[in-house]
Amino acid sequence: MKSLLFLVLISVCWAEPHPDNSSLEHEKIIHIQDNGPRLLVVAEQAKIFSHRGGNVTLPCKFYHEHTSTAGSGTHKIRVKWTKLTSDYLKEVDVFVAMGHHRKSYGNYQGRVFLRESSENDASLIITDIILEDYGRYKCEVIEGLEDDTAVVALNLEGVVFPYSPRLGRYNLNFHEAQRACVDQDSVIASFDQLYDAWRSGLDWCNAGWLSDGSVQYPITKPREPCGGKNTVPGVRNYGFWDKDKSRYDVFCFTSNFNGRFYYLIHPTKLTYDEAVQACLKDGAQIAKVGQIFAAWKLLGYDRCDAGWLADGSVRYPISRPRKRCSPNEAAVRFVGFPDKKHKLYGVYCYRAYN
């Protein structure tokens, strides 16, 4: 019985003398050959780019090593897609398929499908992309006792912007920071997004939360109040802090939108409440901070008029620097959080397309 079990577990086994020392007569090398070719999962591209509202295909195909076949035919193929959290400690279920059975999870329901252009195609189609879809995805293919994985990163075109509330600098714990970004039509930025923004010129001296729970800030022009004049440019890292008790600003990320952002032409300047009503009367809503940054960065929106935004701040976007309108750099200029009842400004509105 033991001999039979040994033969089942090992398909081919033979011994040969050790080539380097013939005097060791009893030393043998054991060769073990697996049954059949090994399952391989491959992503043709490691990084895919898209934008909010778009559709994208995350590539994934599976093969057997040294063959062109997709499967052995003896076991059903199970395909599982998960999303890796920013700290890589957890996986979030996205989609599972086995035979004719299909299941999607969470906010992916109704938006994800397998492409199945061939019998070995496990590529995942994501439709109507939202900001939260950004990140790294794992494609896992399982056949019997064999399985293999591949990882694909989904990047979104967009803009990172620093944010602090009316209360002022360093007033948000991590959970409040997440909500603050969502309230401004954005999500809390990842380190990779902040790093890309720094490479594109973002310079900000206030530390802010990132999606992995770290606190960092980007410096392109080293100076004394921001880590020292003689330091090198880079993304400064404060490390990981208590998400409930520690308080900082936040870096948010937003992408393009399916709507119209505009400065409302109005005969008079407005208080905050009047600005909200003026946008509603125009068939729109008062714009959010994420929308003014997206319009400025992605659409080149330029306007030298300060206007109210939904959070009670007053800002204006300058894409073409000029005298009296951000002469030194293209930026979304921040006027502040004025008195809502007595200060008068214009207003920026946003009308979503149906």
Side-chain angles (χ1 to χ4, degrees):
M1 183 65 184
K2 290 183 179 179
S3 299
L4 177 60
L5 179 60
F6 183 78
L7 288 173
V8 170
L9 291 176
I10 301 177
S11 59
V12 178
C13 178
W14 72 92
E16 66 180 25
H18 194 289
D20 297 327
N21 194 344
S22 58
S23 65
L24 300 177
E25 295 181 356
H26 301 292
E27 184 175 337
K28 307 291 184 181
I29 296 177
I30 303 298
H31 297 271
I32 298 176
Q33 180 177 316
D34 293 334
N35 282 323
R38 186 167 63 90
L39 180 69
L40 295 176
V41 174
V42 178
E44 296 163 339
Q45 292 175 263
K47 188 177 291 186
I48 302 295
F49 292 86
S50 191
H51 56 84
R52 177 164 56 177
N55 301 331
V56 72
T57 299
L58 305 183
C60 180
K61 290 190 175 182
F62 57 96
Y63 308 91
H64 278 89
E65 195 174 27
H66 308 310
T67 76
S68 60
T69 60
S72 65
T74 57
H75 299 97
K76 282 188 176 181
I77 299 291
R78 182 173 185 259
V79 176
K80 182 178 182 180
W81 280 90
T82 55
K83 186 182 180 186
L84 306 176
T85 56
S86 57
D87 56 11
Y88 295 97
L89 296 178
K90 296 179 182 179
E91 295 181 20
V92 178
D93 289 338
V94 174
F95 182 84
V96 175
M98 185 171 181
H100 297 294
H101 299 285
R102 303 284 190 273
K103 185 174 183 180
S104 52
Y105 297 85
N107 60 18
Y108 293 98
Q109 292 185 45
R111 298 193 301 119
V112 291
F113 314 90
L114 288 187
R115 183 172 63 181
E116 298 181 294
S117 62
S118 61
E119 63 178 3
N120 67 328
D121 186 8
S123 302
L124 186 73
I125 297 173
I126 306 178
T127 62
D128 194 19
I129 289 173
I130 60 178
L131 295 176
E132 291 80 1
D133 291 342
Y134 167 89
R136 289 176 173 82
Y137 291 79
K138 186 175 80 173
C139 172
E140 181 178 18
V141 179
I142 304 166
E143 183 185 24
L145 298 177
E146 287 193 85
D147 73 282
D148 196 21
T149 63
V151 175
V152 183
L154 173 58
N155 282 9
L156 299 183
E157 178 189 32
V159 56
V160 171
F161 62 94
Y163 187 78
S164 57
R166 174 179 286 275
L167 293 172
R169 180 174 179 260
Y170 294 174
N171 267 289
L172 300 170
N173 67 25
F174 179 78
H175 311 290
E176 292 166 343
Q178 285 183 309
R179 289 194 296 271
C181 288
V182 171
D183 288 345
Q184 300 310 315
D185 191 42
S186 59
V187 292
I188 189 168
S190 70
F191 169 77
D192 288 342
Q193 289 169 332
L194 181 64
Y195 180 78
D196 288 342
W198 168 74
R199 292 186 62 187
S200 298
L202 180 62
D203 182 280
W204 196 254
C205 201
N206 292 349
W209 291 104
L210 296 178
S211 60
D212 62 358
S214 66
V215 176
Q216 309 194 38
Y217 64 100
I219 295 296
T220 59
K221 300 182 287 288
R223 51 204 184 273
E224 209 54 54
C226 306
K229 187 187 302 183
N230 298 321
T231 58
V232 297
V235 177
R236 307 275 194 263
N237 190 346
Y238 275 18
F240 295 88
W241 291 81
D242 189 307
K243 291 183 177 181
D244 296 311
K245 297 178 181 178
S246 300
R247 294 188 173 272
Y248 292 95
D249 292 346
V250 63
F251 289 98
C252 302
F253 173 83
T254 192
S255 186
N256 62 339
F257 44 71
N258 185 30
R260 179 190 171 213
F261 173 89
Y262 62 101
Y263 181 82
L264 180 66
I265 303 302
H266 195 273
T268 63
K269 298 297 183 182
L270 306 163
T271 66
Y272 176 80
D273 289 340
E274 291 170 342
V276 171
Q277 292 304 314
C279 287
L280 290 173
K281 188 175 179 181
D282 201 51
Q285 294 181 328
I286 188 169
K288 299 180 177 182
V289 177
Q291 291 162 348
I292 195 172
F293 272 95
W296 164 72
K297 183 70 173 181
L298 304 177
L299 303 177
Y301 194 92
D302 182 280
R303 184 91 191 190
C304 200
D305 294 290
W308 291 106
L309 294 174
D311 67 338
S313 66
V314 172
R315 308 174 195 243
Y316 59 99
I318 298 298
S319 297
R320 301 185 304 276
R322 55 201 182 275
K323 188 177 180 180
R324 299 178 64 183
C325 298
S326 187
N328 298 320
E329 62 177 351
V332 174
R333 308 306 297 181
F334 175 63
V335 176
F337 285 94
D339 186 318
K340 289 182 176 182
K341 294 184 180 297
H342 301 102
K343 295 296 184 178
L344 304 177
Y345 291 96
V347 62
Y348 288 96
C349 303
Y350 174 77
R351 183 185 297 128
Y353 296 144
N354 294 329

